[in-house]
Amino acid sequence: MILETAKRVLKIEAESILNLIDKINDNFVRAVDLISSCKGKVVLIGIGKSGFISKKIASTLASTGTPAFFLHPAEGVHGDLGMLSSKDVVIVISNSGETDEVLQLFPLLKHLNLKIIVFTGNANSTLASRGDIIINTSVKEEACPWGFVPTSSTTAALAMGDALAIAVLKKKGFKQEDFAIFHPGGTLGKRLLLKVTDLMHRENAVPLVRENTIMKDALLEMTSKRLGVTGVVNKSEILVGVITDGDLRRALAKHSDLLNKKALEIMTTNPKWISQDALAVIALEMMEEYAITALFVYKGKKPNRVVGVIHLHDLIKAGIV
């Protein structure tokens, strides 16, 4: 019984969304054009369940480059209409199209000369007759057993709002780099915004030894900096090699007097390193490609003096991985 009920609800709501496809027409195109050319903000208005859907659509628009916010109709008639300007576009959501709290706002919205997009399931409603652009979000039935609890209708309105937001996104040429700016705390934002310089170890935290440093001292440098690696530089402070934990294990099998060897005898030559201006995700890709856990960092367009080191753990901690 429970499983059947759940499947029935999902089937009805899925069909409600699919049925919206045939309702996409020139009104939808006009709505996209209107929002894309909006010089102010997009204001979402709804109450009850439609209010929650309005909030979500406003959030989606805002996160994809279209300034938007939710205005509660009850608060609107008590002063919050002062948030509106003549440059704004309004989207009103009401399945019945007869919501009193929303209807009482219309004279004020019209007085401000605002363009109004109406999402409604009733094309013959009062709201539909007063809106400038009508988006049909009607459904054949609600998913509740009595046919009146907002279920399919709110799902349909939400899906139509997503379709509208994504269509606006594409029309405005919004890119993933733009999305990252609005989501600096998300994984995508971090991948597209964080640079090596933001995460790398600097100055005294960078493990470095000279070519002629004996391995006893090189091992101390590796141990004290706790990155499992040390860079090897020449007299000009240019990176010429690296010594990793793996290099040490291989060297132990070859040299009984390892601690007295020089760094240049143990190091791996032609080390991989990266510019401090590179995206941190590029550092991750290099580590994956070469099966290494650290990259030494230089400043500028071509390798020169070492200015830092970035470790796989830094990338994991920052949420790049």
Side-chain angles (χ1 to χ4, degrees):
M1 179 67 177
I2 292 176
L3 294 179
E4 290 178 0
T5 298
K7 291 177 182 180
R8 174 183 171 278
V9 170
L10 293 176
K11 183 174 183 294
I12 291 173
E13 298 208 12
E15 289 177 349
S16 297
I17 293 176
L18 288 174
N19 288 335
L20 292 179
I21 295 174
D22 292 333
K23 297 181 175 68
I24 298 291
N25 53 28
D26 289 342
N27 280 357
F28 185 88
V29 176
R30 290 173 56 210
V32 171
D33 290 341
L34 181 62
I35 294 171
S36 299
S37 60
C38 177
K39 302 301 182 183
K41 292 180 173 60
V42 178
V43 183
L44 278 294
I45 296 175
I47 198 165
K49 305 297 188 298
S50 293
F52 289 109
I53 299 303
S54 297
K55 290 179 182 179
K56 193 278 178 183
I57 296 173
S59 177
T60 300
L61 286 167
S63 69
T64 51
T66 299
F69 67 91
F70 168 71
L71 175 64
H72 194 288
E75 300 297 339
V77 295
H78 289 285
D80 280 5
L81 283 179
M83 298 178 181
L84 304 180
S85 76
S86 58
K87 297 180 179 179
D88 296 337
V89 170
V90 174
I91 299 177
V92 174
I93 300 179
S94 170
N95 185 48
S96 69
E98 302 293 346
T99 307
D100 291 336
E101 294 88 346
V102 176
L103 281 172
Q104 65 182 329
L105 289 180
F106 265 69
L108 304 170
L109 298 177
K110 289 296 185 180
H111 177 73
L112 292 172
N113 217 16
L114 297 172
K115 292 294 184 181
I116 302 172
I117 301 168
V118 175
F119 279 27
T120 183
N122 184 0
N124 298 315
S125 63
T126 305
L127 283 178
S129 67
R130 296 180 183 178
D132 296 295
I133 300 174
I134 311 305
I135 303 296
N136 186 348
T137 58
S138 61
V139 298
K140 292 181 179 179
E141 61 178 320
E142 297 288 8
C144 86
W146 309 287
F148 57 76
V149 176
T151 46
S152 303
S153 58
T154 49
T155 299
L158 179 61
M160 187 66 81
D162 287 341
L164 188 67
I166 299 306
V168 170
L169 172 155
K170 296 199 71 172
K171 184 174 179 63
K172 294 172 72 170
F174 192 79
K175 300 180 178 62
Q176 65 175 358
E177 291 81 2
D178 302 315
F179 184 84
I181 293 173
F182 294 108
H183 298 76
T187 299
L188 177 60
K190 292 173 182 177
R191 281 176 167 262
L192 294 176
L193 294 177
L194 283 179
K195 294 185 176 182
V196 170
T197 188
D198 299 318
L199 303 177
M200 70 185 190
H201 302 266
R202 308 166 185 271
E203 300 175 349
N204 293 334
V206 181
L208 289 175
V209 298
R210 291 289 181 86
E211 293 172 292
N212 292 325
T213 300
I214 63 172
M215 283 303 299
K216 178 181 178 181
D217 294 331
L219 186 57
L220 287 174
E221 178 74 356
M222 291 177 64
T223 303
S224 65
K225 301 301 170 59
R226 303 176 67 179
L227 293 176
V229 65
T230 184
V232 182
V233 297
N234 60 20
K235 293 179 180 179
S236 301
E237 301 296 326
I238 303 298
L239 189 71
V240 294
V242 295
I243 300 173
T244 67
D245 290 337
D247 292 320
L248 290 177
R249 287 192 295 271
R250 288 186 288 273
L252 279 171
K254 294 181 180 179
H255 307 289
S256 58
D257 58 343
L258 173 62
L259 295 182
N260 294 319
K261 293 290 183 179
K262 294 180 179 179
L264 62 85
E265 298 177 84
I266 305 301
M267 70 184 188
T268 295
T269 58
N270 299 316
K272 302 295 184 293
W273 54 344
I274 190 169
S275 169
Q276 68 173 11
D277 297 321
L279 289 174
V281 69
I282 300 300
L284 175 63
E285 291 172 358
M286 288 182 65
M287 291 180 191
E288 291 175 340
E289 180 180 357
Y290 296 108
I292 56 180
T293 58
L295 286 168
F296 283 87
V297 183
Y298 61 86
K299 183 178 181 179
K301 295 184 178 180
K302 60 181 180 180
N304 45 50
R305 297 182 63 181
V306 175
V307 296
V309 61
I310 185 167
H311 195 277
L312 178 60
H313 291 164
D314 303 319
L315 299 171
I316 294 173
K317 185 177 180 180
I320 300 297
V321 179

